[in-house]
Amino acid sequence: LPSNWLLDMGWDLAMDSRYVWDWLYLAISALAVVTQEYLILAIAIIELPARMRTVHYVATAVSSNIGQLVAVLVMTLVVLLLFTVIGFRLLNNNYGFENEGTGCDSLLECYALHLDYGVRVAPIWAFGSPEHTGAVMGWGFLFNVTYYLLVILVVTAIVSGIIIDSFSELRSINSSREDDIRNTCFICGLDRDELELHGSGFHKHIQTEHNMWHFLFFIMHVTTKDPTLLNGQEAYALEKVRAKDVRLMPIRRARCLDDSQNEVREQGEKLEAKVDELARQLRFLSAQVYSSLQMVTAPSSGGGTTGVPPASRIPSVAAEGPGSGRQ
């Protein structure tokens, strides 16, 4: 029935996690209309930064290192507690924070004061008098330097370093992904350089030979077609798709590379044949030269030869003609 179909579709939309924010905005708008408090609609402004790519990077950098940030937070709380105990027990009424006076009445109050101000600014020493100025010496100097190094510098540097490292890692991953998209075939995994040097060109390869949308269309075709109407190749492809077998894809293989390799092999065979023919002709000419020299020098020196190899050393190919080739 149409009503059941509408109910099923509405339930599916309500349960779909992709529409959580849409339902939230709808509820906020309804609440603003009912209460006549339209300032509630300001909450919907969070959609603007949520659509920014940089904000996604920030959220990913924080969420991917939440464990490290929690560890740093715990370490900060412990360090502040140690400084609070030292300051409360040994240095009470000798220091405070800006615009907060000096000293505190209880350990809990001092700890709350350190949590509120201690992470942002270092203590200000007064020694019982707000008008006191000058250098702080002794235990106060050691407390000041240690507090500034551990709380103000180290903690801030650790948090900043974690987030900056996360940004660098995300940038590297994104750059590698974009480079892979631009310079690698999605189907076979061959890179641009190999296809440009030995294939038909990268753009022609990804647009005509290994177009990923053609492969997607083929997969949708074999999965939606009546199984009784599939031919042998389609049945084999459907079996591999259902088994999630990647051997269906031509990984590291392309017909343009096979054609190029065959062409290179043929050219190599032709070149080898030419080299063999030149070597045969060279041997034939050498034999002719030796024979001519023997005939010229035979009468001299009492019938001996002068620096010319005997006839027995003439290569056997001397009897071959220049037109005879090796089979």
Side-chain angles (χ1 to χ4, degrees):
L1 295 176
S3 59
N4 293 335
W5 178 80
L6 289 175
L7 289 176
D8 293 339
M9 184 179 67
W11 178 258
D12 292 338
L13 291 176
M15 294 295 102
D16 196 333
S17 60
R18 294 175 298 177
Y19 301 104
V20 171
W21 287 106
D22 297 328
W23 290 115
L24 177 61
Y25 295 148
L26 180 61
I28 291 173
S29 301
L31 181 64
V33 171
V34 171
T35 61
Q36 299 295 316
E37 187 64 44
Y38 295 104
L39 291 178
I40 299 177
L41 296 175
I43 301 176
I45 299 178
I46 62 177
E47 180 68 14
L48 295 178
R51 293 181 177 272
M52 297 180 181
R53 194 175 184 180
T54 305
V55 176
H56 289 177
Y57 280 155
V58 174
T60 305
V62 174
S63 60
S64 61
N65 296 280
I66 190 67
Q68 297 179 0
L69 294 176
V70 170
V72 174
L73 176 61
V74 173
M75 182 191 71
T76 304
L77 295 176
V78 172
V79 171
L80 286 177
L81 179 61
L82 293 176
F83 277 104
T84 302
V85 172
I86 294 173
F88 181 76
R89 297 293 298 175
L90 302 178
L91 306 173
N92 192 27
N93 295 325
N94 288 336
Y95 78 98
F97 295 96
E98 187 176 3
N99 299 326
E100 286 297 319
T102 58
C104 45
D105 297 330
S106 65
L107 182 63
L108 181 61
E109 181 182 353
C110 287
Y111 190 53
L113 192 65
H114 279 79
L115 291 177
D116 190 10
Y117 289 93
V119 181
R120 294 174 288 172
V121 295
I124 298 176
W125 288 80
F127 289 101
S129 175
E131 292 79 15
H132 176 81
T133 58
V136 179
M137 303 303 292
W139 291 108
F141 173 79
L142 180 62
F143 186 90
N144 261 4
V145 172
T146 308
Y147 191 98
Y148 185 80
L149 290 177
L150 292 181
V151 179
I152 305 300
L153 291 183
V154 174
V155 173
T156 306
I158 291 176
V159 175
S160 302
I162 291 174
I163 296 178
I164 291 174
D165 288 343
S166 299
F167 270 110
S168 300
E169 183 178 358
L170 289 174
R171 188 182 301 110
S172 176
I173 294 174
N174 184 62
S175 176
S176 176
R177 184 185 299 114
E178 292 181 353
D179 181 73
D180 186 72
I181 292 173
R182 289 194 303 265
N183 299 311
T184 305
C185 176
F186 181 76
I187 301 300
C188 65
L190 295 172
D191 57 21
R192 179 188 294 269
D193 294 338
E194 189 170 0
L195 291 170
E196 292 289 350
L197 291 175
H198 306 293
S200 57
F202 181 74
H203 289 290
K204 181 181 179 181
H205 175 77
I206 63 175
Q207 291 174 3
T208 59
E209 298 171 354
H210 282 174
N211 190 310
M212 61 180 179
W213 302 115
H214 294 172
F215 278 79
L216 178 61
F217 175 80
F218 176 72
I219 292 174
M220 295 299 297
H221 168 71
V222 298
T223 53
T224 57
K225 189 177 179 180
D226 187 354
T228 60
L229 300 178
L230 296 175
N231 57 31
Q233 294 177 344
E234 292 174 341
Y236 173 80
L238 180 60
E239 180 184 354
K240 294 300 182 183
V241 169
R242 289 178 175 175
K244 297 182 180 180
D245 192 342
V246 296
R247 287 179 295 179
L248 176 64
M249 297 298 177
I251 301 176
R252 305 299 300 176
R253 291 183 289 112
R255 178 171 296 179
C256 60
L257 292 183
D258 295 338
D259 296 340
S260 176
Q261 292 174 357
N262 292 334
E263 183 180 354
V264 171
R265 189 180 301 109
E266 292 176 358
Q267 292 179 355
E269 292 175 355
K270 292 180 180 179
L271 181 60
E272 184 179 359
K274 290 182 179 180
V275 171
D276 291 341
E277 177 65 18
L278 291 176
R280 191 198 61 78
Q281 293 180 5
L282 180 60
R283 289 195 300 269
F284 177 78
L285 293 176
S286 298
Q288 293 289 349
V289 170
Y290 289 151
S291 178
S292 300
L293 288 177
Q294 185 180 18
M295 293 171 55
V296 171
T297 59
S300 62
S301 303
T305 59
T306 308
V308 180
S312 60
R313 296 181 58 186
I314 298 177
S316 60
V317 297
E320 300 179 359
S324 61
R326 187 174 63 180
Q327 299 296 327

